[in-house]
Amino acid sequence: MTAVNTTSEASTENKETIVNKLLGAISGSFAPILGVLAGSGLISALLSILITVGWLSKESGTYAILSAAGHAIFYFFPVFLGITLANKLGANGYVGGTIGAALLEPHYMDLVTSKAQDVTFLGIPILLANYSSTVFPILLAVSIYSVLDKFLKKVIYKDLQMFINPLISLVVIVPLTILIFGPFGTYVGEGLSVVIQFLSAKSGILTGAVMGAAWSFLTILGLHWAVIPIFLANLAATGLDPLMAMIAAAPFAQMGMGLGVLLKTKDKELKTLAASGLVPSALAGTTEIITYGILVRFKRTMIIVAIAGAIGGAINGAFGVKSTGFALPSFLSIPVFTPVGLFLLGTLTSLIVAMVLTLVMGYEGKNDLAPVKMVKNVIRETISSPLSGEIVPLNKMTDPLFSTGTVGKGVAIEPTKGEVISPVDGLVTTLFPTEHAIGITSEAGAEILIFVGVDTINLKGQYFTSKVKQWDKVKRGDLLIQFDIENIKAAGYDLKTPVVITNTNQYLDVVVIKDGTIHAKDELIRLDV
């Protein structure tokens, strides 16, 4: 096989844009928890209904326990996003989760709740803030952590990486998050507050249009929390707040877009996703399912939601609609706004415009990310070998991430042919930019990572050529990657290739059913449930 020193034109065309990489990281970090978001949102919706009809009191123990079940995922967002984003970026998910947990740890929270003054870290003043339910600080922190993790893997001796890398990462990233990343979001939010107050003083129509168009995107970045104190301050001062009525157009626009997708799409999983997002959005105002399951994946829906939100926000701003209390905008919270008729005019206009635009324009655009696959129960299946070569137990690998089973159970193969084929019918859910590793999710739910060689990421794609792109559907036996064995070995790299099941914890057992010599397409791993 000849050396591959240049990237083909087709490969160049398939490279992700910066926007797609950003949205892919955000949506990819939410994809694994969409199911629990849906369930939690439905609990909140159910509680709203029970309270409205008088069957349940907020002071009851029943409400407190069910509310805890419904709100836990939102309160501990930094922990869950720390895990999923780190995994998405190829870093250690448990370290990412620990970074998020540090923001909610009791010792730090005691400092926040006590409103202590002159708190410092190594003499550096700290801006204390409550980061529960936030998104932006942990997204920034884990993104920086993933860069640090890649550096540490290059410079730390392999046998020490298991504990030295997490030690250094936590000691560096957690203080930086509290000192810089978190406050940065706070300062950005304060800047937004100044802009919003300025616009509000000049024109209700202009402010409503800006707030209605921008609110969904502030939510994605987690910056909406910095604006909420303005709502509360207005309510405390006068008992009325005009800004909440303006931003209400945005979630109703998302509902309309979600309804349009539900009616238009033929994809069963996307239809299910849209339906599961509409119920908690309509009843409880929790739009996370639609936001992270649809909005960030299809760029055309962003334009639709911005247009519809701007129109509804401008209507509410022009007519001076106000809220009389703090509540997430939904159909059940309509009585909070006054005058109700004008509030309905603005919000339902947003909903209808978004739905019509989605039905007419469609929701998919060129190079959109693929629809999110909802997490589902796995079933028993057998994984074929993606390579021809010699079986090597994972514990013989020099990389501790694989040898210790941190990434998942499986096996390694010393390849004799420079081709990786698909071991299942499924979807390409991860393709490393260096083309040396690929992730496949089977139709039965198995998440398979094939990582060609040890430290071959340092080749930066040289001697590797991918034949597929992320989100391609593949059949068992389809060619995924070609690589030049001779040149990679000549460059001093070990080509033992782990084939691991990254969602091992969803299976009763992961059994390697072959040893010795194996050929591509031979049965390799049995997954028991």
Side-chain angles (χ1 to χ4, degrees), residues 186-338:
T186 301
Y187 288 132
V188 171
E190 290 177 353
L192 288 172
S193 298
V194 172
V195 172
I196 291 169
Q197 289 173 332
F198 173 79
L199 290 175
S200 183
K202 296 295 181 180
S203 169
I205 296 177
L206 176 61
T207 307
V210 172
M211 293 293 289
W215 188 253
S216 296
F217 308 102
L218 295 178
T219 303
I220 291 173
L221 295 174
L223 297 177
H224 61 305
W225 297 106
V227 183
I228 288 176
I230 302 176
F231 306 157
L232 299 177
N234 289 338
L235 289 171
T238 65
L240 296 171
D241 171 60
L243 298 179
M244 181 68 74
M246 297 175 188
I247 68 97
F252 275 84
Q254 288 197 42
M255 292 180 215
M257 179 271 290
L259 181 58
V261 170
L262 175 66
L263 297 174
K264 190 174 184 66
T265 185
K266 296 180 181 179
D267 185 308
K268 291 182 179 179
E269 293 195 14
L270 183 57
K271 190 179 288 288
T272 299
L273 181 65
S276 65
L278 282 171
V279 175
S281 297
L283 298 181
T286 52
T287 61
E288 282 82 1
I289 309 289
I290 294 175
T291 300
Y292 298 105
I294 301 176
L295 187 64
V296 301
R297 304 197 67 80
F298 300 104
K299 292 191 287 292
R300 185 172 295 176
T301 65
M302 294 184 179
I303 299 172
I304 291 171
V305 166
I307 293 172
I311 294 172
I315 292 173
N316 284 347
F319 288 110
V321 180
K322 295 177 175 63
S323 65
T324 59
F326 182 81
L328 295 178
S330 68
F331 282 98
L332 290 182
S333 66
I334 288 174
V336 171
F337 297 88
T338 184

Side-chain angles (χ1 to χ4, degrees), residues 23 26 58 65 90 107 129 140 186 203 211 216 271 280 402 447 456 501:
L23 295 180
I26 295 175
K58 284 189 175 182
I65 293 172
H107 287 90
L140 184 56
T186 301
S203 169
M211 293 293 289
S216 296
K271 190 179 288 288
F402 293 106
E447 298 173 7
T456 49
I501 310 302

Side-chain angles (χ1 to χ4, degrees), residues 344-426:
L344 285 174
L345 175 63
T347 52
L348 292 183
T349 296
S350 287
L351 188 151
I352 294 170
V353 167
M355 180 186 69
V356 172
L357 288 178
T358 303
L359 292 173
V360 174
M361 296 171 54
Y363 56 88
E364 293 180 289
K366 185 179 180 181
N367 297 324
D368 269 332
L369 298 166
V372 168
K373 296 291 181 179
M374 293 291 286
V375 176
K376 57 186 179 182
N377 293 331
V378 297
I379 63 175
R380 190 178 189 274
E381 69 172 316
T382 300
I383 308 300
S384 297
S385 176
L387 295 151
S388 295
E390 296 294 323
I391 297 290
V392 180
L394 272 187
N395 59 17
K396 300 295 183 182
M397 293 289 297
T398 57
D399 189 333
L401 288 176
F402 293 106
S403 63
T404 60
T406 300
V407 179
K409 293 183 179 180
V411 70
I413 299 173
E414 180 80 43
T416 54
K417 185 178 181 181
E419 292 184 349
V420 179
I421 65 169
S422 179
V424 293
D425 295 343

Side-chain angles (χ1 to χ4, degrees), residues 462-480:
Q462 190 178 28
Y463 309 129
F464 291 91
T465 302
S466 65
K467 299 298 182 180
V468 293
K469 60 182 183 295
Q470 192 173 18
W471 307 120
D472 277 354
K473 290 184 178 180
V474 292
K475 293 292 185 181
R476 190 184 301 260
D478 285 354
L479 180 61
L480 304 177

Side-chain angles (χ1 to χ4, degrees), residues 136-192:
F136 186 76
I138 194 65
L139 289 179
L140 184 56
V142 173
S143 297
I144 301 299
Y145 156 62
S146 69
V147 176
L148 174 62
D149 184 62
K150 289 181 175 65
F151 171 75
L152 294 176
K153 287 176 181 177
K154 294 179 181 179
V155 300
I156 301 297
Y157 183 62
K158 292 179 181 178
D159 291 345
L160 301 177
Q161 287 185 10
M162 182 183 296
F163 61 92
I164 292 295
N165 287 18
L167 168 65
I168 295 175
S169 298
L170 291 172
V171 168
V172 171
I173 299 298
V174 171
L176 284 178
T177 303
I178 293 174
L179 287 169
I180 300 175
F181 307 147
F184 175 75
T186 301
Y187 288 132
V188 171
E190 290 177 353
L192 288 172

Side-chain angles (χ1 to χ4, degrees), residues 376-383 442-446 503 506-507 526-529:
K376 57 186 179 182
N377 293 331
V378 297
I379 63 175
R380 190 178 189 274
E381 69 172 316
T382 300
I383 308 300
S442 76
E443 293 180 349
N503 60 334
Q506 290 186 259
Y507 293 93
R526 187 181 71 245
L527 304 177
D528 294 333
V529 294

